[in-house]
């Protein structure tokens, strides 16, 4: 027999529905994280000796949170159906952990946005400093091809032949490219965190209702 009646039964099914949406959100976060990690353009720009890896730290946080969201969403559905106070309390605790991870990924992306961009710009600049370095020349060509740009803040005839002189400089191209990626991480992290606040409220309300019903019995 159900431990909750009346309006609390509605909360129970709302929590179940929320957990299903939460599971789908975790799948979406995981998919976006995998896209950011294995996006061919991003991988090309951040491979090579000395390539900065700060950008991927935020991506790994996002991947971990997405995978955990899917697991927690599944057990949250089970806890709501079984009306288990223990499972719901565990669900709340896991939501709190994921909430912190998502906020961390979002804040990390926004706070370190300039640092990440600067690190990539320095990596590119160092690759074009020494034209005798074969590895550096190869890295520069990857940036020119991927971002459709050429040269640093000033045009370099050895890097940019006449047909490429009108292209935008790579430092600006790097800024635009990584700002877009980092905004995706930030907005997803903060958006999912807002959704989880609703889940924590539902789980606590249902948990308290189950507890009160047991005291009455």
């Amino acid at each position: 027999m159900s431990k909750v009646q009346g309006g609390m039964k509605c909360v129970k099914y709302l929590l179940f529905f929320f957990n299903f949406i939460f599971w789908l959100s975790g799948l979406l976060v995981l998919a976006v994280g995998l896209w950011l990690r294995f996006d061919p353009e991003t991988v090309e720009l951040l491979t090579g000796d000395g390539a900065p890896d700060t950008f991927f730290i935020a991506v790994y946080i996002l991947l971990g949170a997405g995978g955990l969201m899917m697991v927690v969403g599944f057990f949250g559905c089970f806890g709501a159906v079984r009306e288990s106070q223990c499972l719901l309390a565990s669900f709340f605790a896991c939501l709190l952990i994921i909430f912190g991870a998502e906020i961390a990924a979002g804040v990390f992306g926004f706070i370190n946005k300039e640092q990440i961009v600067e690190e990539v710009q320095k990596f590119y600049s160092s690759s074009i400093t020494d034209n005798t370095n074969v590895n550096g020349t190869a890295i520069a060509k990857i940036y020119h091809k991927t971002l459709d740009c050429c040269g640093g803040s000033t045009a370099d005839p050895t890097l940019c032949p006449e047909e490429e002189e009108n292209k935008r400089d790579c430092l600006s191209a790097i800024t635009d490219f990584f700002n877009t990626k980092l905004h995706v991480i930030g907005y997803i992290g903060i958006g999912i965190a807002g959704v989880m606040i609703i889940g924590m409220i539902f789980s606590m309300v249902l948990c308290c209702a189950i507890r009160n019903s047991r005291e009455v019995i």
Side-chain angles (χ1 to χ4, degrees), residues 158-172:
T158 61
L159 288 172
C160 307
E162 291 184 7
E163 62 271 16
E164 295 187 347
E165 282 185 355
N166 293 326
K167 285 188 176 182
R168 61 176 176 168
D169 65 276
C170 285
L171 299 185
S172 299

Side-chain angles (χ1 to χ4, degrees), residues 12-26:
K12 167 185 170 179
Y13 290 114
L14 279 173
L15 182 59
F16 177 84
F17 177 73
F18 167 83
N19 276 290
F20 179 69
I21 299 299
F22 187 70
W23 184 87
L24 291 177
S25 299

